[in-house]
Amino acid sequence: MPILRTFLTFLAAAAALLLSVTASATTRSVDWTPTEIGAVPAEDAAWQAYDLPLRWTARPGEPLRGLTLRLRTTLEAPPAQAWAVLLSHASTGGRISVNGRMVGEIRTADAVTDVRWRRPHLLAIDPSLLVAGENTILIQTAYRDGVHFLAGVEVGPLTELSRAYGLRHFTSAILPWIGGTLAACFTLLFAILWLRRNDPTIGLVALAAGFWVLRSVCFLVETAPVGARLWLDLLYYVAIGGFAVVMTLVLLRLAGRSSARAAWMPVLYAAVGPALLVVTGGQAAQHLDSLWVPGLIGMVTIGLSYALLSRVRKHESLQIVVITAITVAIAAAVYDYGVAQGWLPEATMLALHWAGPLLLAALATPVVDRFVRVLREAEGARGDLESRVREREQMLKRNYERLREGERLQATAAERQRIMQDMHDGLGTQLVSSLLLVERGALTQAQVAQVLRESIDDMRLAIDALAQGNSDLLAALGNLRYRMEPRFRAAGIELIWDARDMPEELNINPDHVLPMLRIVQESLTNALKHSNARAVSVALQVTQAGDEAPLLNIRVTDNGKGIAGERVGGRGLLNMRSRANRIGGTLTLESVPGSGTRVRFSYRLTDYHTGLTRSPTQLGLNTEAIIERFREGGG
């Protein structure tokens, strides 16, 4: 992984920098004498000599005590440049003086504050304070219960020790902060993934990262109120116990031992340490470090053994990154335990500070690999789905093109049938009946001319109504008016046409246009022949009431002599009413002898009849919309 390679490269560079540091003088021993807190040792104080690193322990419950530590360094001549003293690990802090002159102070424990320094400290020394020969460095400190250390005391040029201080500050303070930050990112990322997928492996990785964040916080808190120290220790033991339990559960899952009993045993053991700490009020901390912590290391080691043995028996290959990282982490934990117990030389950096983040990154590797594999499978499935959708689109387009062609042919046939029916019912019937009358000699020449004229009018009316794509009633009525006006003028009758309140276009089902035209033509012909009127008016109007569909009203009114009662039910009026009923309209006749006649036709404009002009041979199939609905429906 790129992050892992970068981290290892950085550690190698840091190690090279550490090896390049050369300290002028390293103190190997220290003198010890108890004193009052903050007091200077008496001249006749009894000093005890110890080798560095120095490790001492105070029993729980003991009061705050004072201590002075004396270190000696010998110089051949006073230095000309600034010098410094580097305390790589001085857990209790204190006031530092050189040859009786104070050079700095590191906060130490007092009545309300507990101090456990884990970072190094660098204090500059004025060259004038140093002398040729032996120089004395005093550290006046105070301590209470717990384990305390003094290690890595060096005296030398400030420039050289500054480089050593920077590297050791990184390994002891910055590295835990980086590890905690990475663990926090892992916790957030894998917790979100676990909430979405509910995968046990992802949940374990998130839990392990969370415990490591808690451990890092405990290490980074170096000064705290006395009352909070117990809770910080409790959080620390919960963190290391929980981390060990998660590592064991991961290894047991690799070994195929994911039963409830195998899971609860590590959990119960990890809970023993924090429980004892709470019950004893913190006095069990020293025993937990020496007895309980090795059990955690052994628990993880047993889990690793099970995983290796199970995979070997099943002839399966382990994920080398995970196994290697867990092995390194176990070795780092053993090393840190040996340092804490004094079996190994004191170190300025715990090995788990860098082994822990590496282990978290290794645990994330299988999850990331599986996530990448799932993404690849999803991309492949998406490509396959897109290919299938494209094929289905092409198939749908071909099917709908065939359907459109079939419906076009069907509409053409229906249109042809309608034209034939209209010609048969109108012009054909009229010509046949007229022919019979002519053959019988029942018509005069003038009457024959009138019959032929009416037949021509009916033919033109049918042509206007049945024209290709013509569903505009107003245009057809305009043509009718153009043909009728000369006849009315020749008869001395004024033809008044009122369509002021009509829309510019009135698109109606083409099947209904011809019956409407014939109703208007029949009304005008009757008025022309029989009314003896001076004026005939045609009024067109579209009205709407509430939420109902608009209503088309056509009124043909004359001021002639009216219709006698016996003629109200004549055949011509019956034909007009039949045509109106056939297209869903209504027709009424109002006539008063001597006062004129009014024919009123009403027709409801439904949604089908008020759309845009549409040719019966052109079907508006929206293929793209149909395909989109097919996609949304999942095929």
Side-chain angles (χ1 to χ4, degrees):
M1 296 176 63
I3 296 178
L4 181 59
R5 289 197 298 268
T6 303
F7 189 78
L8 291 175
T9 302
F10 183 80
L11 287 182
L17 178 62
L18 179 61
L19 294 176
S20 64
V21 175
T22 303
S24 296
T26 300
T27 304
R28 302 296 182 183
S29 63
V30 61
D31 297 331
W32 161 303
T33 185
T35 58
E36 295 294 331
I37 298 175
V40 178
E43 293 184 0
D44 58 348
W47 295 89
Q48 298 179 13
Y50 296 95
D51 293 330
L52 290 179
L54 176 63
R55 180 177 182 270
W56 73 97
T57 304
R59 291 193 300 268
E62 291 188 359
L64 188 66
R65 294 183 176 184
L67 174 67
T68 299
L69 300 171
R70 184 177 64 187
L71 302 105
R72 302 176 186 273
T73 182
T74 302
L75 300 178
E76 296 180 358
Q81 57 182 350
W83 270 41
V85 56
L86 173 61
L87 304 176
S88 297
H89 197 169
S91 61
T92 59
R95 178 181 297 176
I96 293 87
S97 59
V98 176
N99 294 332
R101 299 285 298 275
M102 189 179 74
V103 297
E105 185 173 7
I106 306 169
R107 185 172 182 178
T108 189
D110 54 32
V112 296
T113 305
D114 189 34
V115 173
R116 296 182 184 178
W117 293 110
R118 298 182 179 90
R119 70 185 66 187
H121 295 87
L122 180 67
L123 298 99
I125 303 175
D126 190 337
S128 62
L129 300 180
L130 298 173
V131 297
E134 186 178 79
N135 294 268
T136 302
I137 301 174
L138 292 182
I139 303 176
Q140 297 171 258
T141 185
Y143 66 94
R144 53 169 48 89
D145 60 324
V147 181
H148 309 283
F149 295 93
L150 177 65
V153 180
E154 300 178 38
V155 179
L158 179 61
T159 55
E160 295 182 5
L161 293 185
S162 295
R163 294 196 298 269
Y165 167 78
L167 180 59
R168 292 171 188 176
H169 183 268
F170 171 82
T171 58
S172 60
I174 304 301
L175 189 59
W177 185 89
I178 294 176
T181 303
L182 291 175
C185 295
F186 280 133
T187 303
L188 180 61
L189 174 62
F190 287 98
I192 294 175
L193 291 177
W194 179 78
L195 290 175
R196 294 179 63 87
R197 298 182 58 86
N198 197 20
D199 188 316
T201 303
I202 296 177
L204 288 175
V205 173
L207 193 60
F211 282 127
W212 194 262
V213 171
L214 192 61
R215 176 191 178 277
S216 300
V217 169
C218 294
F219 265 96
L220 292 174
V221 177
E222 297 173 299
T223 61
V226 175
R229 178 54 62 182
L230 174 62
W231 299 108
L232 285 173
D233 290 342
L234 178 63
L235 290 178
Y236 171 74
Y237 289 117
V238 168
I240 61 175
F243 189 80
V245 166
V246 173
M247 294 299 100
T248 304
L249 294 180
V250 170
L251 292 169
L252 290 177
R253 287 181 63 85
L254 291 175
R257 296 176 175 268
S258 56
S259 63
R261 180 180 179 183
W264 278 109
M265 290 180 63
V267 172
L268 291 176
Y269 179 80
V272 169
L276 289 176
L277 187 71
V278 173
V279 170
T280 60
Q283 296 185 13
Q286 181 178 355
H287 302 288
L288 293 179
D289 290 337
S290 59
L291 299 176
W292 179 72
V293 171
L296 296 178
I297 301 174
M299 183 172 64
V300 178
T301 304
I302 293 173
L304 178 61
S305 302
Y306 270 116
L308 291 172
L309 182 62
S310 175
R311 294 298 175 174
V312 169
R313 287 178 177 178
K314 295 180 180 179
H315 303 286
E316 297 178 2
S317 60
L318 283 170
Q319 291 193 346
I320 189 63
V321 175
V322 176
I323 299 303
T324 301
I326 293 179
T327 304
V328 171
I330 292 175
V334 172
Y335 173 79
D336 291 343
Y337 178 77
V339 172
Q341 296 302 313
W343 302 339
L344 297 174
E346 185 64 30
T348 59
M349 177 188 69
L350 295 179
L352 276 176
H353 283 342
W354 57 267
L358 291 179
L359 178 56
L360 291 176
L363 288 176
T365 301
V367 179
V368 173
D369 289 342
R370 184 169 55 182
F371 182 72
V372 172
R373 186 168 58 254
V374 170
L375 282 181
R376 290 176 179 173
E377 293 175 355
E379 290 178 356
R382 184 179 64 181
D384 181 63
L385 179 61
E386 289 178 351
S387 176
R388 294 174 59 187
V389 168
R390 284 193 298 268
E391 293 177 359
R392 188 65 61 89
E393 285 180 0
Q394 296 299 323
M395 184 183 68
L396 284 174
K397 287 181 179 179
R398 291 192 297 269
N399 290 341
Y400 278 107
E401 286 299 329
R402 288 194 294 266
L403 178 62
R404 174 156 36 191
E405 180 64 19
E407 292 188 355
R408 187 188 67 80
L409 296 176
Q410 184 179 1
T412 302
E415 181 72 6
R416 185 183 299 109
Q417 181 67 26
R418 184 169 64 86
I419 294 174
M420 294 173 59
Q421 186 67 36
D422 287 336
M423 297 295 291
H424 178 271
D425 294 343
L427 181 60
T429 302
Q430 185 173 356
L431 290 175
V432 170
S433 59
S434 300
L435 178 60
L436 292 175
L437 293 174
V438 170
E439 289 176 345
R440 295 175 183 176
L443 296 178
T444 64
Q445 184 177 0
Q447 289 175 333
V448 172
Q450 179 64 28
V451 168
L452 293 176
R453 187 180 297 108
E454 291 178 355
S455 298
I456 293 173
D457 289 342
D458 192 73
M459 182 183 66
R460 289 175 175 173
L461 192 69
I463 292 174
D464 291 341
L466 302 177
Q468 178 74 17
N470 189 2
S471 61
D472 189 354
L473 177 64
L474 297 181
L477 287 173
N479 292 333
L480 177 63
R481 175 186 177 185
Y482 175 76
R483 289 194 298 270
M484 296 298 293
E485 276 186 338
R487 301 181 188 178
F488 275 85
R489 285 198 301 270
I493 302 174
E494 183 183 5
L495 180 60
I496 304 171
W497 205 278
D498 184 6
R500 290 172 296 177
D501 296 332
M502 294 295 291
E504 294 182 0
E505 291 185 0
L506 188 63
N507 301 313
I508 298 176
N509 188 338
D511 295 341
H512 297 175
V513 173
L514 183 57
M516 293 183 187
L517 290 176
R518 283 180 171 160
I519 291 173
V520 177
Q521 182 189 35
E522 185 74 19
S523 301
L524 292 175
T525 302
N526 290 337
L528 181 63
K529 288 182 178 181
H530 310 295
S531 67
N532 295 329
R534 296 184 304 277
V536 176
S537 67
V538 179
L540 294 89
Q541 186 180 20
V542 175
T543 61
Q544 186 171 9
D547 296 333
E548 296 181 354
L551 191 67
L552 170 63
N553 296 296
I554 302 177
R555 295 187 301 274
V556 181
T557 307
D558 64 69
N559 57 2
K561 62 182 180 179
I563 301 176
E566 65 274 9
R567 297 178 55 196
V568 172
R571 183 172 181 80
L573 184 58
L574 290 177
N575 289 337
M576 294 169 63
R577 284 177 174 163
S578 176
R579 290 190 179 99
N581 293 335
R582 191 164 60 247
I583 63 176
T586 59
L587 186 129
T588 59
L589 177 67
E590 301 173 2
S591 182
V592 178
S595 299
T597 303
R598 173 180 294 174
V599 179
R600 177 181 295 173
F601 170 72
S602 298
Y603 177 79
R604 183 70 65 182
L605 299 172
T606 61
D607 292 341
Y608 179 83
H609 301 135
T610 56
L612 297 175
T613 302
R614 181 178 298 173
S615 171
T617 63
Q618 295 179 353
L619 301 177
L621 287 176
N622 190 342
T623 306
E624 296 298 331
I626 293 172
I627 292 174
E628 187 63 27
R629 288 197 299 270
F630 168 79
R631 282 178 170 175
E632 294 176 356

